[in-house]
Amino acid sequence: MLTLVGFLRYTQKLIYIEIGKKLRQRGIKVGQHASAIKNLTETYLQIINTVSLATVPATIRQRLFTEGIVLAVDGVQPEKGHAILYLLSDA
């Protein structure tokens, strides 16, 4: 749901009220106030900002910018080395 909120806000440029309506149309229960959607968009930004897009493979980066929304976000924190963030988008 967070990826849908991010897509609607930052790609489709919808305002919080419109995002709430879209989510409810899909059967997703969200608060009636714009602050509920604002909190979701802030959480989305926190997740997205945890990784630099420069570390995301070029093929995934291209899909993110041209083909649509992220379907899943999963992170791995290894014992040694760098953390890895996986982003899956619709194709």
Side-chain angles (χ1 to χ4, degrees):
M1 176 188 57
L2 284 175
T3 56
L4 176 59
V5 169
F7 175 75
L8 293 173
R9 178 72 178 130
Y10 300 108
T11 302
Q12 299 297 312
K13 306 294 186 200
L14 299 182
I15 62 173
Y16 298 136
I17 302 290
E18 294 170 327
I19 294 170
K21 287 179 185 176
K22 294 275 189 186
L23 293 176
R24 284 187 281 282
Q25 288 172 354
R26 291 174 176 243
I28 300 171
K29 295 180 182 180
V30 293
Q32 296 291 325
H33 299 286
S35 62
I37 303 301
K38 182 180 179 189
N39 290 340
L40 292 172
T41 58
E42 289 173 357
T43 302
Y44 171 82
L45 288 175
Q46 289 172 354
I47 291 170
I48 294 301
N49 288 327
T50 59
V51 67
S52 166
L53 282 179
T55 64
V56 175
T59 55
I60 294 176
R61 242 189 348 259
Q62 182 65 25
R63 287 185 182 168
L64 289 174
F65 291 116
T66 61
E67 294 182 17
I69 65 172
V70 177
L71 296 178
V73 177
D74 188 16
V76 177
Q77 179 65 46
E79 290 183 26
K80 295 182 181 179
H82 299 288
I84 300 170
L85 181 68
Y86 295 96
L87 301 172
L88 304 174
S89 67
D90 61 338

